[in-house]
Amino acid sequence: MTIATMRRSDRRISPVFLGIAAITAVAGWAAWTGFAEQPGFAVFLFVTAAWIVSLCLHEYAHARTALHSGDLSIEAKGYLTLNPFKYTHALLSIVLPVLFVMTGGIGLPGGAVFIERGRIHGRWKHSLISAAGPLVNLACAVALLVPLGIGALDTASVDFQAAVAFLGFLQVTATVLNLLPVPGLDGYGIIEPWLSHKIRRQVEPFAPFGLLAVFGILWIPEVNNAFFDTVYDLLSAFGVSPNLASYGHSLFQFWQ
C-alpha cells in the first residue's frame, strides 16, 4: 500500500458514520410521515442518531482545523473519516453525551480528539481549533431551528417537528455549555492560549473534571432554572415554541 493510498483511506468517510447517517434518514422519514406505529421509538432513533452525527461533525471540525493549522498527524489517526470509534476518548466523545441526552435531556458536550499542540504555532490557531467544535453545534442549531421557525416543516407530522425542535434544543445547549470557560471544555480552550503559563499550569489538573463539574452544577435548582430559561429564550428567538421541544423530549423518552 502506497503512502498516497493510505492518505486517501485516512480521509475516506467511514461506513460506520454512513450507517449512522442512514439510520437518521430512515428514522426521520418514519417520524415525518407518521409511518411508525410507535412514533416515540422513531423519534428516539432519529434524535439519537442525528445527535451522534453532530458529535462526529463536532470532532471532525476540531481535527480538520488542527490539520490546516499544522498538526499533520491528524490524518493517520483517522479523525477525518468521521468514525466515532477512531476518537481518542470514544467514551467521552460519544457514549457520555448520548447518556446525558437520554437521562437529562441535555446536549452536554463530550471529550475531544487528541491534537498535538506542539506542532501548532500561533495563539489564534489554537483558539480557532477549540472554537471549531462549538461552531458546528451552532450551525446545526441554525440549520434545524430556522426552517422550523419559518414554517418550512409545516407539512411534516407534529411528531417530526417536535423531534427537530428537541434536536435543535440539544444543539443550543451543547453550544452554550461548550463555550463556558471551564477547564476541559472548548470555551476554556479558546482563552487558554492567551493566559499566562503560570495560570495554565495551575488550572491544568482540574481539566479532567470540568465536564463532570458542569453536569453536577446543573443539578442545582437555581442554576438549572436559569440555564433552561436562557435556552428556551434562544429557541423562542428562532420562532420555535419551547413547548414543542418539550413534547419532542417526551416522545424521545418513549420508555417512560
Side-chain angles (χ1 to χ4, degrees):
M1 181 180 292
T2 65
I3 294 177
T5 303
M6 291 178 64
R7 287 184 175 178
R8 284 196 297 270
S9 64
D10 290 337
R11 295 189 180 196
R12 189 178 298 122
I13 297 178
S14 165
V16 175
F17 177 81
L18 293 176
I20 297 171
I23 293 174
T24 303
V26 172
W29 170 81
W32 177 297
T33 61
F35 177 81
E37 293 184 2
Q38 294 185 342
F41 184 66
V43 168
F44 171 79
L45 284 180
F46 170 69
V47 172
T48 301
W51 177 238
I52 294 175
V53 166
S54 72
L55 291 172
C56 292
L57 293 174
H58 176 112
E59 303 297 354
Y60 175 87
H62 284 307
R64 173 62 71 173
T65 308
L67 175 67
H68 291 291
S69 297
D71 184 3
L72 301 182
S73 69
I74 289 295
E75 284 188 284
K77 294 169 183 171
Y79 296 155
L80 302 181
T81 66
L82 291 166
N83 184 349
F85 297 113
K86 291 291 185 179
Y87 299 142
T88 306
H89 299 291
L91 175 65
L92 293 178
S93 295
I94 303 297
V95 178
L96 281 182
V98 170
L99 288 178
F100 286 142
V101 171
M102 293 177 64
T103 57
I106 301 175
L108 205 61
V113 295
F114 177 72
I115 296 170
E116 297 185 22
R117 294 280 182 171
R119 295 172 176 259
I120 300 167
H121 305 286
R123 290 184 291 184
W124 281 108
K125 289 182 179 179
H126 286 283
S127 294
L128 184 58
I129 291 169
S130 296
L135 287 176
V136 166
N137 292 116
L138 177 60
C140 289
V142 172
L144 290 164
L145 296 176
V146 168
L148 190 60
I150 64 176
L153 301 181
D154 286 352
T155 57
S157 68
V158 175
D159 292 340
F160 180 79
Q161 294 182 51
V164 171
F166 178 53
L167 187 57
F169 165 85
L170 294 177
Q171 299 297 340
V172 172
T173 60
T175 302
V176 173
L177 291 173
N178 222 348
L179 288 176
L180 294 176
V182 175
L185 299 183
D186 290 327
Y188 177 76
I190 294 172
I191 66 172
E192 183 182 22
W194 307 90
L195 301 176
S196 67
H197 179 70
K198 179 180 179 181
I199 293 178
R200 282 183 285 171
R201 287 290 300 273
Q202 291 175 337
V203 172
E204 186 177 0
F206 300 99
F209 310 104
L211 184 63
L212 294 178
V214 170
F215 186 64
I217 292 173
L218 284 174
W219 282 96
I220 300 175
E222 293 79 9
V223 176
N224 187 280
N225 291 335
F227 171 74
F228 280 107
D229 285 345
T230 300
V231 173
Y232 288 145
D233 287 342
L234 291 173
L235 286 183
S236 298
F238 280 100
V240 176
S241 170
N243 292 332
L244 187 62
S246 297
Y247 177 55
H249 185 203
S250 65
L251 286 173
F252 175 83
Q253 294 182 313
F254 69 95
W255 58 88
Q256 292 188 351

